[in-house]
């Protein structure tokens, strides 16, 4: 299946310079080849789902993930999110547990987070594609450079965005965010390895995000 670079038109002027760079053209060729020769996730139409659910002008919150899920039917183009009917992966379970204790929200049946994205939460994986059952197989092919540019453009061109950086990888990825005009919240990763050592639970990132948005006269997220 060919890579579909049909991205929400609002992102086109923001990212046009990246699309025209050699690394991105090489990345497109790599991804097309991978999708033609192997099973890859998410499906071709969903690679840019994070952007298509969340236009540039609507971005209020950015959550940074690492790799798409590589199991069958899991990845849907939004970080930490899985398609409806798919069992919640361990990190997502811990995200929902924190939501429950932070804002008293019952754990949802569906792990599809598109309703977050539709409210202005950019659920951005650092790498947007992966080969089936091969974690990290599409890393270091250009996606990270592209998503770095996405983060930098949001930081430069917008004001009062909440960046949620969970775990060491996301913190490094967010190093160039301008903390003087945005809210940057950090904590451990929601994976059991980190969460069970006390680095995730109790971070209250969901209520803190909404408190900040309200303070900036923006509509809070209905998590």
């Amino acid at each position: 299946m060919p890579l579909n670079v049909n991205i929400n038109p609002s992102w086109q002027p923001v990212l046009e310079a990246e699309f025209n760079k050699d690394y991105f053209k090489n990345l497109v060729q790599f991804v097309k080849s991978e999708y033609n020769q192997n099973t890859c996730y998410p499906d071709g139409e969903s690679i840019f789902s994070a952007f298509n659910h969340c236009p540039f002008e609507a971005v209020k919150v950015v959550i940074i993930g690492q790799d798409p899920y590589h199991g069958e039917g899991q990845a849907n183009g939004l970080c930490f999110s899985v398609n409806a009917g798919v069992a919640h992966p361990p990190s997502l379970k811990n995200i929902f547990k924190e939501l429950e204790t932070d804002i008293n929200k019952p754990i949802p049946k569906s792990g599809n987070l598109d309703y977050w994205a539709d409210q202005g939460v950019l659920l951005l994986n650092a790498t947007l594609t992966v080969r089936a059952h091969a974690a990290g197989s599409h890393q270091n092919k250009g996606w990270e450079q592209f998503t770095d540019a996405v983060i930098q453009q949001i930081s430069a061109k917008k004001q009062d965005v909440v960046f949620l950086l969970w775990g060491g990888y996301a913190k490094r990825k967010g190093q160039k965010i301008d903390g003087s005009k945005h809210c940057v919240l950090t904590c451990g990763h929601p994976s059991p390895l980190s969460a069970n050592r006390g680095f995730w639970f109790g971070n209250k990132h969901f209520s803190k995000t909404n408190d900040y948005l309200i303070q900036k006269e923006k509509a809070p997220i209905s998590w």
Side-chain angles (χ1 to χ4, degrees):
M1 186 180 294
L3 175 62
N4 179 4
V5 192
N6 282 342
I7 198 165
N8 183 288
S10 66
W11 289 95
Q12 205 70 43
V14 180
L15 298 173
E16 194 168 16
E18 297 306 307
F19 295 144
N20 290 325
K21 288 179 181 174
D22 287 343
Y23 88 85
F24 193 84
K25 292 172 184 172
N26 292 336
L27 171 64
V28 167
Q29 292 310 312
F30 166 77
V31 173
K32 281 183 176 177
S33 170
E34 281 285 288
Y35 273 69
N36 285 332
Q37 295 174 30
N38 304 289
T39 300
C40 296
Y41 302 123
D43 65 71
E45 293 296 315
S46 301
I47 291 171
F48 291 99
S49 275
F51 302 89
N52 292 331
H53 276 281
C54 185
F56 181 72
E57 64 274 4
V59 175
K60 295 193 286 190
V61 181
V62 178
I63 299 177
I64 299 172
Q66 194 163 354
D67 236 21
Y69 297 119
H70 54 82
E72 186 178 354
Q74 290 182 300
N76 62 10
L78 309 174
C79 72
F80 295 107
S81 173
V82 290
N83 287 313
V86 174
H88 299 174
S91 290
L92 186 58
K93 282 184 184 172
N94 285 338
I95 288 169
F96 285 156
K97 283 180 189 172
E98 177 60 25
L99 259 179
E100 187 176 40
T101 55
D102 183 12
I103 60 169
N104 206 25
K105 180 192 164 104
I107 291 174
K109 286 191 172 67
S110 171
N112 193 337
L113 303 178
D114 56 359
Y115 64 101
W116 289 8
D118 292 336
Q119 298 176 75
V121 181
L122 183 68
L123 294 162
L124 182 67
N125 272 320
T127 305
L128 299 190
T129 56
V130 70
R131 197 184 306 159
H133 314 300
S137 49
H138 289 186
Q139 289 177 1
N140 303 315
K141 301 294 182 183
W143 278 130
E144 294 91 342
Q145 186 174 342
F146 173 71
T147 51
D148 276 348
V150 172
I151 294 163
Q152 286 166 21
Q153 289 290 343
I154 293 169
S155 176
K157 291 190 161 78
K158 293 184 71 76
Q159 187 86 25
D160 303 330
V161 173
V162 182
F163 289 86
L164 302 181
L165 308 182
W166 298 340
Y169 185 87
K171 289 172 192 170
R172 288 190 296 277
K173 187 100 179 145
Q175 279 174 345
K176 293 184 180 170
I177 296 164
D178 184 349
S180 69
K181 63 173 189 162
H182 300 290
C183 175
V184 180
L185 300 176
T186 63
C187 70
H189 196 275
S191 70
L193 188 67
S194 170
N196 295 339
R197 288 161 57 208
F199 299 129
W200 166 257
F201 294 116
N203 64 60
K204 299 194 180 299
H205 276 193
F206 304 104
S207 58
K208 286 176 180 175
T209 294
N210 281 349
D211 289 347
Y212 179 83
L213 293 174
I214 291 165
Q215 179 194 330
K216 297 298 180 181
E217 299 183 337
K218 296 183 180 186
I221 306 298
S222 177
W223 300 107

